[in-house]
C-alpha cells in the first residue's frame, strides 16, 4: 500500500518542479481574442425618466414642418362684444282675432273737424301754371292757401274737389295732387272755343288724402288762358266727405 502513495507524491513533485522551471525559463505569448458571441436577449423596459428642462429654440430652416398633434384646450376667453342685429325674419302667421271691444260713447258731430273751402279769382298773381283763386268765400279749418292756390290736408279722409273756370279761348285744366310726396295728375279737362264766347270748363273728383297731402288746379302752358273780368267768376271748391277710420 505504500508503493502507490509514493508514486503519487513523486508525480506531484515532478509536475510542480516542471511548472516552476517553465515559468522561469520561457513564457508563451497571449492568445488572440475569440469571436464575438451572439447578442443577448433584450432587457426589460426601464422606468420612465423625469421631464427635462425646455430646450433652446431651434434654428429656422425655412422648411415648414408637419402639423403637430392637437394640444390641450386652453382656458375660456373673455366674452366677445355683442354683434350687429341680424336681418328680420319672415312675417309670422296671422294671430287670432281679439275679443270685441266695449261700445264707445256716442259721438258729437260738432266736435269733429269739417274742413271745407271755396274761393274765386279776382286779382290773382300772373305767371306759373298753378291756377290761383285768390279771394276766399269760405275756408273752414283754414286749410286752403289763397296765396298758393293749394289745399293742404290736415284730417285724413275722402275729399271732393270741383272747379268751374270761365274762358273765351281753348283751355285745358287738370286737378293735380301731391300724395305722400308724389305729384300726380288726377284728371284733365279740355274745352275748345272757336267763337270767342264765354264758356265754362268744369270738373270734379273724389280723392283719398293723408295728412300733408295737397291738391290744386293747373292749366296747360299753351291752352290755359282764363277770363278775368266782371261778367263771370271762376271758382275752386272742396270739402271732406268723411274721415278715414
Amino acid at each position: 500500500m505504500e508503493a502507490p502513495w509514493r508514486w503519487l507524491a513523486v508525480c506531484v513533485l515532478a509536475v510542480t518542479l516542471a511548472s516552476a522551471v517553465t515559468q522561469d525559463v520561457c513564457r508563451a505569448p497571449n492568445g488572440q481574442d475569440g469571436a464575438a458571441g451572439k447578442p443577448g436577449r433584450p432587457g426589460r423596459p426601464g422606468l420612465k425618466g423625469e421631464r427635462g428642462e425646455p430646450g433652446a429654440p431651434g434654428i429656422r430652416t425655412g422648411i415648414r414642418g408637419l402639423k403637430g398633434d392637437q394640444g390641450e384646450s386652453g382656458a375660456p376667453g373673455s366674452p366677445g362684444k355683442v354683434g350687429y342685429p341680424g336681418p328680420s325674419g319672415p312675417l309670422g302667421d296671422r294671430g287670432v282675432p281679439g275679443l270685441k271691444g266695449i261700445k264707445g260713447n256716442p259721438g258729437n258731430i260738432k266736435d269733429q273737424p269739417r274742413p271745407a273751402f271755396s274761393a274765386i279769382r279776382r286779382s290773382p298773381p300772373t305767371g306759373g301754371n298753378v291756377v290761383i283763386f285768390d279771394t276766399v268765400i269760405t275756408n273752414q279749418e283754414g286749410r286752403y292757401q289763397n296765396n298758393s292756390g293749394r289745399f293742404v290736408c290736415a284730417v285724413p279722409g275722402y275729399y271732393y274737389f270741383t272747379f268751374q273756370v270761365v274762358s273765351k279761348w281753348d283751355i285745358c285744366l287738370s286737378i293735380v295732387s301731391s300724395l305722400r310726396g308724389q305729384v300726380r295728375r288726377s284728371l284733365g279737362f279740355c274745352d275748345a272755343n272757336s267763337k270767342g264766347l264765354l264758356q265754362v270748363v268744369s270738373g270734379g273728383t273724389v280723392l283719398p288724402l293723408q295728412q300733408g297731402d295737397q291738391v290744386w288746379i293747373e292749366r296747360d302752358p299753351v291752352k290755359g288762358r282764363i277770363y278775368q273780368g266782371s261778367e263771370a267768376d271762376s271758382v275752386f271748391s272742396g270739402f271732406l266727405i268723411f274721415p278715414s277710420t
Side-chain angles (χ1 to χ4, degrees), residues 152-234:
V152 181
C153 175
V155 180
Y158 288 82
Y159 289 78
Y160 178 71
F161 296 94
T162 182
F163 68 88
Q164 293 83 34
V165 174
V166 181
S167 177
K168 289 183 177 182
W169 308 270
D170 295 345
I171 188 170
C172 290
L173 301 174
S174 301
I175 298 178
V176 182
S177 59
S178 174
L179 306 180
R180 288 161 291 284
Q182 300 294 325
V183 177
R184 69 178 185 180
R185 195 175 304 275
S186 300
L187 292 172
F189 306 87
C190 291
D191 192 9
N193 191 339
S194 59
K195 297 182 180 180
L197 301 176
L198 291 177
Q199 292 185 177
V200 176
V201 57
S202 61
T205 187
V206 175
L207 294 175
L209 301 181
Q210 297 294 328
Q211 186 175 7
D213 292 347
Q214 301 182 17
V215 179
W216 64 93
I217 306 297
E218 277 192 14
R219 54 186 169 188
D220 184 85
V222 178
K223 298 180 180 181
R225 189 175 176 183
I226 300 174
Y227 169 77
Q228 193 67 40
S230 59
E231 297 181 43
D233 290 313
S234 298

Side-chain angles (χ1 to χ4, degrees), residues 29-135:
N30 293 332
Q32 296 179 355
D33 295 337
K38 295 181 180 180
R41 291 179 296 177
R44 295 179 181 179
L47 298 176
K48 184 177 179 181
E50 296 181 358
R51 185 172 183 179
E53 297 295 332
I59 301 174
R60 298 181 63 92
T61 62
I63 300 175
R64 187 171 184 178
L66 299 177
K67 182 178 180 181
D69 296 335
Q70 183 174 356
E72 297 179 358
S73 300
S78 302
K81 296 181 180 180
V82 179
Y84 295 104
S88 300
L91 186 65
D93 297 333
R94 187 172 183 178
V96 179
L99 300 176
K100 185 176 180 179
I102 302 174
K103 185 175 181 179
N105 297 325
N108 187 351
I109 192 172
K110 294 181 179 181
D111 297 333
Q112 297 180 2
R114 291 172 289 177
F117 75 95
S118 187
I120 60 176
R121 286 170 59 88
R122 286 292 170 86
S123 301
T126 58
N129 295 326
V130 178
V131 181
I132 297 178
F133 299 82
D134 58 293
T135 302

Side-chain angles (χ1 to χ4, degrees), residues 24 26 81 107:
D24 294 337
C26 180
K81 296 181 180 180

